[in-house]
Amino acid sequence: MDSFAAALGRGACLRRPGLPEAVKVGVAFGVCQFAMPLFGWSVGIAFANLVEAVDHWIAFALLLAVGGAMIRNAFGGDDEAEDCGPPARSARAEWLALMTTAVATSIDAAAVGAGLALVDVDMVTTSLLIGAVTFAVAFGGVLIGRAAGNRMGRWAELAGGLTLIGIGAKILFDHTMT
């Protein structure tokens, strides 16, 4: 959801982004969302015994923090306006801004990967699926943002934040009630 919201905002900010821009954003977000769960999984495998007793609290705290930040942004905090700056930015500055946003929205995927280290799952397939879905929603987000404008980005970010907090609360509830 946060990648979708960021792509939606980018599509709303840029002047008439087309398919090449949507592909570029989709690839950036998809690659980061593919790589971060693998990184988190590697760390999780290394420290699984230490984290197992508190993994539900860690997941809840991370999802609460990311979801809370998304809700704050939806109500006018950080507009993710770095891409709404002057159109005369260099290609290198544009790419750096895009990759910074893609990495920032992918950090929570590392936490997901760390959690998946505690269960039996094919991480390469899982990460490929996460990356492919993220590519599709980011690609679509740019195009929807182009059509819908900035207002919808705030609603998408609010919904994403509430969803992440809800998922975190469910994880915490499930693990503390068993």
Side-chain angles (χ1 to χ4, degrees):
M1 287 304 291
D2 52 355
S3 295
F4 175 73
L8 197 63
R10 186 172 176 92
C13 291
L14 295 175
R15 296 176 189 211
R16 313 235 353 117
L19 290 179
E21 181 66 23
V23 168
K24 181 171 82 171
V25 171
V27 167
F29 282 94
V31 166
C32 287
Q33 289 283 349
F34 163 76
M36 285 297 214
L38 288 174
F39 171 75
W41 178 77
S42 299
V43 171
I45 289 291
F47 298 104
N49 292 337
L50 298 174
V51 203
E52 196 168 11
V54 293
D55 62 343
H56 50 284
W57 286 103
I58 294 169
F60 174 71
L62 289 170
L63 291 170
L64 180 65
V66 173
M70 290 175 69
I71 291 169
R72 185 192 70 232
N73 293 346
F75 286 111
D78 175 11
D79 291 342
E80 294 188 3
E82 71 270 1
D83 293 331
C84 290
R89 296 168 85 172
S90 70
R92 182 180 173 147
E94 279 292 322
W95 185 249
L96 182 61
L98 174 60
M99 289 309 296
T100 300
T101 306
V103 169
T105 59
S106 301
I107 290 172
D108 56 332
V112 170
L116 290 175
L118 304 173
V119 296
D120 185 26
V121 65
D122 177 0
M123 269 314 290
V124 173
T125 302
T126 301
S127 290
L128 282 169
L129 183 59
I130 291 168
V133 169
T134 302
F135 169 83
V137 298
F139 176 87
V142 170
L143 298 179
I144 292 169
R146 172 186 174 172
N150 220 2
R151 188 168 210 62
M152 188 176 187
R154 293 194 182 282
W155 288 106
E157 196 152 28
L158 176 63
L162 291 171
T163 300
L164 290 178
I165 291 172
I167 291 169
K170 182 177 181 345
I171 290 170
L172 185 62
F173 180 79
D174 289 348
H175 280 88
T176 56
M177 295 312 222
T178 57

